[in-house]
C-alpha cells in the first residue's frame, strides 16, 4: 500500500480536518514534541492495523477540548474518526 495523503478529522488533538500530503520518498515522521506525530500514526494504524485493531473510546480519542460541549449537543456513541 502506498500512502499519498492522510486526512484526519475529530481524532485526539485534531479538531478540524487536516490533510497531509506524503512524498513517496519519505520514510519517517519528524516534528516537535506535542505536534501530533503519534496522532497521525494512530490514525493510520486504525485504517490498517498491523495486528490487533484498537477500539475507539470517546473519552481518550475524541478531542478533549470539545468533549464536554459536544456531549451536550451530539450523540458521541455514533462518532467515528
Amino acid at each position: 500500500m502506498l500512502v499519498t495523503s492522510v486526512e484526519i478529522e475529530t481524532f485526539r488533538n485534531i479538531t478540524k480536518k487536516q490533510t497531509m500530503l506524503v512524498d513517496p520518498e519519505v520514510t519517517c515522521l519528524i516534528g516537535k514534541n506535542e505536534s501530533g506525530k503519534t496522532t497521525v500514526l494512530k490514525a493510520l494504524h486504525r485504517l490498517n492495523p498491523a495486528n490487533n485493531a484498537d477500539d475507539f473510546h470517546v473519552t481518550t480519542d475524541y478531542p478533549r477540548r470539545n468533549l464536554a460541549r459536544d456531549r451536550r449537543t451530539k450523540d458521541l456513541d455514533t462518532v467515528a474518526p
Side-chain angles (χ1 to χ4, degrees):
M1 172 173 63
L2 178 64
V3 177
T4 57
S5 69
V6 177
E7 187 174 281
I8 305 171
E9 181 179 18
T10 316
F11 183 64
R12 297 176 62 102
N13 62 338
I14 298 175
T15 55
K16 297 179 183 173
K17 188 184 299 186
Q18 303 288 318
T19 303
M20 179 178 74
L21 299 177
V22 179
D23 188 310
E25 304 297 320
V26 172
T27 57
C28 64
L29 189 60
I30 299 172
K32 294 181 179 183
N33 291 344
E34 303 294 323
S35 63
K37 300 178 300 288
T38 302
T39 299
V40 171
L41 293 175
K42 284 186 177 275
L44 287 172
H45 174 74
R46 286 183 183 279
L47 290 174
N48 190 14
N51 39 28
N52 298 328
D54 296 334
D55 292 330
F56 178 77
H57 299 286
V58 171
T59 54
T60 57
D61 295 330
Y62 195 82
R64 178 66 85 193
R65 72 186 93 168
N66 298 342
L67 185 60
R69 181 195 69 204
D70 290 352
R71 273 191 168 154
R72 290 189 294 266
T73 60
K74 299 177 186 175
D75 180 14
L76 297 185
D77 291 330
T78 62
V79 171

